[in-house]
Amino acid sequence: MSPIVGIDLGTTNSLVAVFHHGRPQLIPNAHGKFLTPSIVGVLESGDVVVGETARELRITQPTRCAWAFKRWMGQTRQVKIGMSVFTAPELSALVLKSLKQDAEVFLQQPVTEAVVTVPAYFNDHQRKATRMAGELAGLVVRRIINEPTAAALAYGFQDRHVEKRLLVFDLGGGTFDVTVMEVTGGAMEIKATAGENFLGGEDFTDRLVAEILTRAGMTLEAEEHLRPRRVARLRAECEAAKRELQHAETASIRQVDAEGNLAEPPAVTSLTRDEFRHIVDPLLRRLRVPIEQALRDARLSPSQVDDVILVGGASRMPSVVGLVAAMFGRAPNAELNPDEIVALGAAVQSALMNDLAEVDDLVMTDICSHSLGVEVVKVVGDWFEKGFFDPIIHRNTTIPVSREKSYRSVPGAEKVLIQIFQGEARRSSDNLLLGELWVTGITPTATGTEISIRFTYDLSGLLEVESFIAGSPKKFQVVLNQEAAGLSAADLERALERLRKLKIYPRDRLENRRLLQFCERLVGEIAPHWRDSLEAMLDPLEAAMSLGDFARFIEAKRAMLDFLASLGIDTAEFEGGEHVE
Ligand code: AMP
């Protein structure tokens, strides 16, 4: 049986896992790591690099890289990197392709099917864009599941005998979800979910970058436009400081000059945990809102929650842990690795889909995270006012579900256009339009005709809308499926063709490419008296790599690694992988 892999397609990092030898297992990438940065870069040669190598490239050549594109999934936005233009699903497809390749190397067989996770609060367009990314990567997306649902599956797989009310607090790089669920001996029931699609760890880094620039009399927007290299390196510094604060009370941020190099003479800004908490306070306050909403929807008070599970790398921040502890009166559960739990859960889901014996006592019920309904006309005084949203399936309803509601057509109407929306706003224009259905052949009457509408929503996000005119056997029907939003088969084929033409940097040479990128970054970081020596070694290394001269490459690489080691840099991860381009 060909394996179905589980993929956590994250804003900043992605992971792939598989259910192997009776348990979910993470798959390492070409660098031997489980986390693959969700970053795509285009080298000057036109080759596309993904992951670690692209992350190094981003620091020295930010305009050749794209990242955090999960944030614009479902939008029509495009970005130009190098000579190529990409959409978010195309960039995500490149990340998925790289994970697929890692899985194939690990499993020694082709991988063509996947379960992919998305934030619970992703709307229909964002889910469709994710499915499309899978298709572009050559993967059949067998199921899209919510990240907290996956986290619950991993939790439930590991701890089958618990009876608990859980709150999953999922703060990733770009999104925030809160899910309340009940676990009873292998049966997991999602009760409520709430979230924000534009709030994540990257916003915390951005706030810090903005603060440092403001203190120096600059603005992030202007600098990003005028001096992207400065912002890119400063962002790397701020990201490192943010992480350092997980274990230390104080972190230091090295100052960056206008060219994007470390300031000379070296200068640092120190940052305490308290200062950081103060800088990100507006974000911390925003985190409270979905927590309160999910608890309200689940009709629970914080004290009725037995355990808070932290998911997503950004949930490691002490200021975030502190907020959760203060709201719930106890420390959150930190047993499972917040970076890994979602991918592991996706692999458990794939085992469920394959009916594997190891998971036959696990049962999962999910909910829909947004309300689904239709646009209606209201009678206001003595006139009709259009544009109101009327939910047929309310948010947090357990799925699969089928619900019917009756409406009356406006007097004299011979046909009615049913507009289907997703969202919570009172006005339909503030919600997401999913599709339309014409109901025709109505006999006009002075009081309007009764029309019933049935919504059926299944686990894979398929929404079937049926409508009947009272007293008529005729049925009107539309199925809003998971095909790529707004894209025809021809559009999809064109995107596939574009991706096929890209030259992907060979996986077995990535290790060396990353070394080169790393050294290039170092050029702007080390003291000037070392810079010349570094560049003198970088030139032959680059030349040997592009000439494909193996003997010279081995020699140049050895010299470089020895030099790096003499600077106190741990070179273990660059050893081995002796392939030359
Ligand atoms: P994702 O990979 O999308 O789940 O999220 C990764 C996010 O977590 C990024 O914004 C990282 O900056 C953040 N992150 C990872 N580790 C840490 C840490 N130790 N402290 C603070 N933020 C972290």
Side-chain angles (χ1 to χ4, degrees):
M1 191 180 357
S2 125
I4 307 174
V5 291
I7 294 180
D8 170 7
L9 185 59
T11 308
T12 41
N13 292 298
S14 296
L15 297 94
V16 55
V18 67
F19 202 88
H20 207 44
H21 303 311
R23 64 186 179 88
Q25 230 178 302
L26 293 168
I27 295 176
N29 61 23
H31 307 288
K33 296 186 176 171
F34 295 137
L35 262 65
T36 294
S38 308
I39 305 177
V40 174
V42 179
L43 301 173
E44 260 150 53
S45 59
D47 289 76
V48 173
V49 286
V50 173
E52 295 276 339
T53 315
R55 187 171 58 184
E56 291 292 351
L57 185 71
R58 180 176 68 167
I59 300 174
T60 50
Q61 302 199 49
T63 52
R64 294 204 148 266
C65 296
W67 64 92
F69 32 84
K70 180 171 171 179
R71 300 193 119 176
W72 28 288
M73 285 293 253
Q75 301 174 10
T76 49
R77 180 172 159 187
Q78 294 185 321
V79 63
K80 186 161 184 248
I81 42 176
M83 297 304 286
S84 315
V85 174
F86 298 93
T87 61
E90 288 168 357
L91 292 164
S92 304
L94 292 167
V95 175
L96 290 173
K97 244 185 177 168
S98 150
L99 298 175
K100 171 174 153 47
Q101 219 185 4
D102 293 333
E104 287 174 341
V105 170
F106 180 79
L107 295 167
Q108 293 293 301
Q109 60 174 309
V111 170
T112 54
E113 296 185 318
V115 169
V116 181
T117 63
V118 294
Y121 226 57
F122 252 25
N123 65 31
D124 201 60
H125 284 186
Q126 293 165 308
R127 285 166 199 260
K128 283 175 177 165
T130 305
R131 195 171 280 268
M132 174 186 173
E135 238 168 87
L136 292 174
L139 286 168
V140 175
V141 179
R142 289 282 304 276
R143 179 78 58 87
I144 297 236
I145 62 167
N146 294 335
E147 286 162 12
T149 307
L153 277 171
Y155 185 92
F157 179 81
Q158 185 176 285
D159 218 343
R160 301 194 182 196
H161 307 295
V162 293
E163 290 209 5
K164 277 184 180 175
R165 286 198 194 100
L166 303 176
L167 183 137
V168 179
F169 177 101
D170 182 358
L171 187 62
T175 53
F176 176 49
D177 277 346
V178 179
T179 299
V180 178
M181 63 183 69
E182 260 177 37
V183 183
T184 323
M188 283 157 276
E189 196 182 339
I190 309 274
K191 294 289 188 190
T193 192
E196 248 206 68
N197 276 337
F198 284 90
L199 178 57
E202 298 307 287
D203 297 294
F204 285 72
T205 310
D206 279 356
R207 275 223 155 234
L208 190 51
V209 175
E211 173 71 17
I212 305 273
L213 289 172
T214 308
R215 284 184 194 170
M218 294 169 262
T219 67
L220 175 57
E221 292 73 23
E223 285 306 292
E224 204 140 44
H225 181 64
L226 296 170
R227 284 170 280 270
R229 276 173 62 109
R230 166 187 266 168
V231 176
R233 196 175 296 264
L234 186 58
R235 184 173 273 123
E237 287 292 312
C238 289
E239 172 69 25
K242 180 181 83 171
R243 287 171 186 251
E244 207 180 325
L245 289 179
Q246 185 191 345
H247 303 292
E249 269 300 327
T250 309
S252 47
I253 300 168
R254 294 176 296 180
Q255 286 175 17
V256 179
D257 67 19
E259 277 70 51
N261 294 323
L262 291 184
E264 196 53 46
V268 296
T269 308
S270 73
L271 177 77
T272 65
R273 274 191 188 173
D274 270 350
E275 277 170 324
F276 181 67
R277 188 178 303 123
H278 183 69
I279 292 167
V280 300
D281 187 56
L283 300 175
L284 293 173
R285 271 189 272 140
R286 271 166 66 192
L287 292 176
R288 303 181 78 99
V289 181
I291 299 178
E292 284 160 359
Q293 189 192 316
L295 286 173
R296 240 189 343 263
D297 284 355
R299 297 195 175 84
L300 289 180
S301 66
S303 62
Q304 289 172 298
V305 173
D306 299 305
D307 222 346
V308 179
I309 302 174
L310 298 182
V311 177
S315 69
R316 290 201 176 94
M317 282 181 279
S319 45
V320 170
V321 176
L323 172 94
V324 174
M327 282 185 86
F328 290 88
R330 88 187 75 96
N333 180 319
E335 270 167 41
L336 292 161
N337 184 328
D339 289 322
E340 299 175 353
I341 179 168
V342 170
L344 292 172
V348 174
Q349 174 66 46
S350 72
L352 282 170
M353 292 171 70
N354 276 337
D355 287 329
L356 297 188
E358 293 91 340
V359 292
D360 64 2
D361 56 339
L362 286 188
V363 183
M364 181 90 216
T365 63
D366 213 336
I367 56 173
C368 63
S369 39
H370 300 274
S371 301
L372 295 160
V374 292
E375 181 173 288
V376 292
V377 173
K378 282 193 182 176
V379 182
V380 181
D382 50 4
W383 70 84
F384 291 112
E385 198 173 321
K386 293 203 298 192
F388 290 94
F389 173 66
D390 189 53
I392 294 181
I393 297 176
H394 284 274
R395 71 163 190 267
N396 293 334
T397 303
T398 302
I399 51 175
V401 61
S402 196
R403 291 272 155 83
E404 192 173 309
K405 220 167 163 177
S406 290
Y407 297 89
R408 192 156 274 284
S409 66
V410 290
E414 291 177 21
K415 57 182 182 183
V416 167
L417 176 65
I418 298 175
Q419 289 192 293
I420 302 140
F421 285 90
Q422 181 177 50
E424 313 307 326
R426 184 164 170 259
R427 300 262 167 196
S428 51
S429 55
D430 295 330
N431 293 323
L432 190 74
L433 177 66
L434 298 184
E436 295 176 341
L437 174 66
W438 274 106
V439 175
T440 54
I442 303 171
T443 312
T445 62
T447 52
T449 305
E450 190 184 316
I451 293 174
S452 50
I453 303 176
R454 171 171 286 278
F455 274 23
T456 306
Y457 195 59
D458 77 0
L459 276 171
S460 56
L462 213 70
L463 175 66
E464 186 184 22
V465 179
E466 295 162 291
S467 183
F468 309 88
I469 304 169
S472 154
K474 205 163 160 200
K475 180 163 91 173
F476 300 85
Q477 188 186 29
V478 64
V479 178
L480 303 175
N481 58 22
Q482 292 282 3
E483 274 162 22
L487 278 191
S488 64
D491 290 334
L492 201 67
E493 191 44 51
R494 270 196 294 278
L496 268 174
E497 194 48 41
R498 265 206 314 278
L499 289 186
R500 253 183 241 127
K501 282 195 189 132
L502 291 175
K503 264 195 307 162
I504 309 283
Y505 201 85
R507 183 181 188 278
D508 59 357
R509 294 178 192 170
L510 273 174
E511 195 60 52
N512 295 328
R513 186 76 227 182
R514 187 160 77 91
L515 171 63
L516 208 63
Q517 241 41 88
F518 175 79
C519 295
E520 225 158 81
R521 157 151 81 92
L522 216 55
V523 168
E525 287 186 5
I526 55 171
H529 55 281
W530 288 119
R531 184 180 168 133
D532 287 348
S533 320
L534 177 62
E535 288 210 58
M537 264 178 245
L538 193 51
D539 294 342
L541 181 68
E542 195 165 16
M545 278 173 76
S546 56
L547 290 172
D549 185 331
F550 189 65
R552 274 173 65 190
F553 164 74
I554 293 291
E555 200 182 313
K557 180 174 174 183
R558 190 68 266 150
M560 180 61 90
L561 292 186
D562 290 346
F563 175 69
L564 294 179
S566 75
L567 296 178
I569 293 169
D570 182 5
T571 56
E573 58 182 304
F574 297 115
E575 297 282 356
E578 312 303 13
H579 298 272
V580 71
E581 24 215 294

